[in-house]
Amino acid sequence: MRILHVLDHSIPMHSGYTFRTRSILRAQRECGWITSHVTGLKHTLAGPAEEEVDGLRFYRTQATGSLLERLPVASQWQVVRTLARRIEEVVERERPDMLHAHSPALNGLAALQVARRHGLPLVYECRAFWEDAAVDHGTSAEGGARYRLTRALESRVFRQADAVTTICEGLKSDIVARGIDAAKVTVIPNAVDPQAFAMDRPRDAALAASLGLEGRRVTGFIGSFYAYEGIPLLLDAMAALRSRHPDLALLLVGGGPQEALIKQRIRQLDLDDRVVFTGRVPHQEVQRYYSLVDIFAYPRLSMRLTDLVTPLKPLEAMAEGKLVVASDVGGHRELIRSGDNGVLFQSGSADALAGALDRLYSEPETWPALRAAGRSYVETERNWTASVARYRGVYGGLQ
């Protein structure tokens, strides 16, 4: 089976392409499927028109220099037009059996045009609703004109695609609520490669020393600093735990729009001696930082985005055998069975988060069972081999 993937920012960027896409493409290759991949103008990193990485062939859509590419609204339609032309060229060369377009809707719209002209089935994969992400980033207002247009375009692709996949039950429920047949929508959940993580990785003593974390218990957050992640809430919880757990430290690894606000909040709460802020670190170094953390905290705030979408980071922490404390938003509830493979707390409550951390740090005898259950969960339910196997039913039903 030959599959042409239509991607957005997932083409190799020298340091790698998105984790989910890379994992899917590798697993599909292991299934014996022949895949090729094309990206549109949304991928702005300069590079050759064709590139091979990890044994996978990628095709870029080159910018034309047209004025349309610089105009706010026209640029989006130019993305569709140029991408459709590039897909057409690649289809003629690769002769795929089907197209598999990945969100956002601009990719789906371009792929639809080509699929219909060539009589090819189209699978459309939705990983998040871009209109909701834009609300959190401050580039769109919920219910505004741009929000409604983006949602309408996405719904159009859902209706016209031959099959739809998505990453979690929350997104599937919203798609079905738009009038899409539930039988047409398949959940291909996020997962991890358990072999890439170590359950009993030794603590990196040299790194701990360089960060001033020797002899300290460490709560950690590794990821992007968006408002919906709720990191200020975690800082408030750390302040509340100061007297009860004087050896406790917080390790923040990453960066993003909330970085300045987070640093300001650290100063306001007088937490400079308790918070280690590393900034972004090279991907190949991340597991060294995982080794330093006892409990990972994910205090996501409740909103459409977090209630519908499951994150990947808690699964990585479980694969490393780490304890996981997370807010009870819908996306977390799909991953975490509180008291079994992690602990959930009331979203938006610093007191509830502090209480959950306090109980765990006060009851170390509960740690082995939680750690083992988390690792077992990713090994048996959330590994890429099991996840990608669900594509067999999707693709097979379209042949």
Side-chain angles (χ1 to χ4, degrees):
M1 185 188 307
R2 303 181 71 93
I3 305 159
L4 175 59
H5 287 270
V6 182
L7 309 167
D8 192 10
H9 295 283
S10 303
I11 201 166
M13 299 186 199
H14 305 302
S15 61
Y17 39 105
T18 63
F19 182 83
R20 178 180 170 89
T21 300
R22 180 172 67 246
S23 301
I24 288 173
L25 298 183
R26 286 177 173 172
Q28 288 193 346
R29 182 172 56 185
E30 291 171 4
C31 289
W33 300 331
I34 301 171
T35 63
S36 48
H37 324 86
V38 59
T39 57
L41 296 178
K42 284 288 187 180
H43 177 77
T44 57
L45 188 70
E50 298 179 25
E51 185 174 7
E52 185 168 322
V53 176
D54 295 342
L56 300 169
R57 172 65 57 180
F58 293 87
Y59 296 89
R60 284 184 172 88
T61 300
Q62 301 290 338
T64 65
S66 167
L67 176 63
L68 294 176
E69 293 173 6
R70 300 190 294 274
L71 298 177
V73 177
S75 64
Q76 304 306 300
W77 296 114
Q78 183 72 349
V79 168
V80 176
R81 292 175 65 249
T82 55
L83 179 55
R85 286 201 297 266
R86 185 60 166 152
I87 297 171
E88 188 85 42
E89 294 171 357
V90 177
V91 164
E92 292 290 344
R93 176 169 172 176
E94 296 286 345
R95 300 294 180 183
D97 298 302
M98 68 182 61
L99 303 184
H100 183 151
H102 302 245
S103 55
L106 300 183
N107 292 340
L109 292 169
L112 272 171
Q113 295 179 25
V114 181
R116 296 300 173 258
R117 281 198 293 270
H118 289 265
L120 294 171
L122 172 67
V123 177
Y124 181 61
E125 179 161 328
C126 175
R127 304 183 185 183
F129 296 138
W130 288 62
E131 64 270 23
D132 292 327
V135 169
D136 182 73
H137 297 163
T139 58
S140 179
E142 186 169 353
R146 179 178 175 182
Y147 184 96
R148 295 196 307 272
L149 176 60
T150 303
R151 184 175 176 86
L153 291 175
E154 197 91 62
S155 297
R156 177 183 171 186
V157 179
F158 292 147
R159 287 192 300 271
Q160 296 187 12
D162 297 288
V164 176
T165 69
T166 190
I167 67 171
C168 59
E169 294 295 338
L171 289 175
K172 177 177 179 176
S173 296
D174 192 279
I175 293 168
V176 171
R178 303 183 192 199
I180 309 302
D181 183 0
K184 182 179 177 178
V185 186
T186 302
V187 174
I188 311 287
N190 272 334
V192 295
D193 176 5
Q195 303 307 313
F197 298 88
M199 173 72 176
D200 295 307
R201 188 184 304 277
R203 200 169 199 239
D204 191 315
L207 182 59
S210 70
L211 297 175
L213 294 174
E214 290 178 299
R216 304 186 74 173
R217 294 179 296 176
V218 179
T219 302
F221 177 92
I222 297 177
S224 298
F225 299 160
Y226 293 116
Y228 61 76
E229 296 291 4
I231 299 173
L233 199 77
L234 179 54
L235 297 175
D236 291 343
M238 288 295 297
L241 294 170
R242 184 172 5 220
S243 60
R244 186 163 168 78
H245 298 280
D247 65 331
L248 190 59
L250 174 63
L251 177 63
L252 296 177
V253 180
Q258 292 270 298
E259 187 169 331
L261 184 149
I262 291 168
K263 290 180 177 178
Q264 180 183 28
R265 189 65 177 153
I266 291 170
R267 292 191 296 270
Q268 289 173 342
L269 294 171
D270 193 23
L271 289 174
D272 297 86
D273 63 334
R274 286 179 166 265
V275 180
V276 176
F277 198 117
T278 69
R280 292 186 172 90
V281 301
H283 180 73
Q284 63 271 21
E285 295 287 312
V286 168
Q287 288 181 331
R288 296 183 65 202
Y289 292 84
Y290 268 109
S291 77
L292 305 181
V293 177
D294 298 299
I295 301 175
F296 276 94
Y298 303 99
R300 285 190 159 192
L301 305 178
S302 180
M303 60 184 64
R304 268 183 57 81
L305 179 68
T306 58
D307 281 324
L308 294 178
V309 181
T310 54
L312 186 59
K313 292 300 182 184
L315 295 176
E316 294 181 350
M318 290 182 195
E320 280 284 316
K322 301 299 182 178
L323 301 175
V324 172
V325 171
S327 60
D328 60 356
V329 297
H332 285 152
R333 291 199 304 271
E334 285 196 39
L335 303 177
I336 298 167
R337 299 185 285 261
S338 194
D340 176 25
N341 62 355
V343 174
L344 294 174
F345 68 92
Q346 181 184 348
S347 173
S349 171
D351 289 340
L353 173 52
L357 290 170
D358 181 32
R359 285 190 295 276
L360 277 176
Y361 280 117
S362 301
E363 300 172 355
E365 67 276 7
T366 65
W367 291 17
L370 286 168
R371 294 174 66 241
R375 176 69 187 193
S376 176
Y377 177 63
V378 298
E379 287 180 341
T380 60
E381 299 182 45
R382 290 293 182 139
N383 63 83
W384 281 118
T385 300
S387 185
V388 170
R390 299 189 185 194
Y391 283 118
R392 291 186 184 277
V394 177
Y395 294 157
L398 299 178
Q399 288 185 300

